[in-house]
Amino acid sequence: LRRQKNMLLRRHCYSSAPRLLLRKSSSSSSSRAPKRALPGIHRIILIRHGESLGNIDERAYGETADWRIPLTNRGREQARVAGKKVASLIMPSDINANTAEGTRSNNIFFYVSPYLRTRQTLREILHEIPSDQILGIREDP
């Protein structure tokens, strides 16, 4: 019974997850371009939080709740560097040829964990991103 529940849980959790891989067309014609698995999404960028107090002193996990562990000064600097890198990837001069009529696809939407260190990382990244390029921010556990 436990095994059946685990299999059902796995099937439920993973079956609805978006597939990021490009799928080949079912047609035998090799001249067709593969279809996008997530229409409208051109790029997904994953960023880990900067160095936190828990990364340099594991005792912090015993003294502070995990979700309340802050970034160090070095972690803030790492986040600013990451923000500069993200900004360079979404510069307005970057035109995506796959969009209709050559419109620019340089907008960004952020998903962030509710943990303090991830929100602090995002705050530093946002200093480097032009506000008119930010479509939104969602805190998601």
Side-chain angles (χ1 to χ4, degrees):
L1 184 61
R2 177 186 275 179
R3 185 174 180 208
Q4 287 175 337
K5 284 183 181 178
N6 287 340
M7 292 301 290
L8 181 61
L9 179 62
R10 281 190 205 124
R11 193 174 316 130
H12 175 70
C13 291
Y14 298 118
S15 65
S16 62
R19 297 180 192 270
L20 303 180
L21 299 175
L22 297 177
R23 297 184 211 177
K24 290 187 177 181
S25 174
S26 59
S27 166
S28 61
S29 170
S30 61
S31 64
R32 287 188 180 175
K35 295 180 182 177
R36 285 187 173 270
L38 296 172
I41 306 289
H42 301 287
R43 185 181 309 161
I44 294 176
I45 303 168
L46 301 175
I47 301 173
R48 185 179 187 270
H49 62 79
E51 179 185 77
S52 70
L53 184 60
N55 295 130
I56 59 172
D57 183 6
E58 288 190 18
R59 291 178 295 176
Y61 292 107
E63 300 166 359
T64 308
D66 189 22
W67 62 273
R68 296 182 90 183
I69 293 178
L71 290 180
T72 62
N73 288 334
R74 181 175 179 216
R76 285 187 179 85
E77 179 59 32
Q78 290 170 337
R80 281 190 288 276
V81 169
K84 289 176 184 174
K85 178 65 176 175
V86 170
S88 74
L89 293 172
I90 61 166
M91 293 303 294
S93 62
D94 183 21
I95 297 177
N96 187 332
N98 294 330
T99 59
E101 302 170 11
T103 57
R104 299 178 192 274
S105 64
N106 55 359
N107 293 327
I108 189 164
F109 193 97
F110 290 96
Y111 287 89
V112 64
S113 161
Y115 280 41
L116 176 61
R117 58 189 172 269
T118 60
R119 290 183 290 126
Q120 288 176 329
T121 299
L122 176 62
R123 188 177 311 126
E124 298 299 328
I125 289 172
L126 291 176
H127 289 297
E128 306 298 330
I129 308 291
S131 60
D132 62 332
Q133 291 183 268
I134 300 170
L135 291 177
I137 300 170
R138 179 174 174 174
E139 187 176 286
D140 209 357

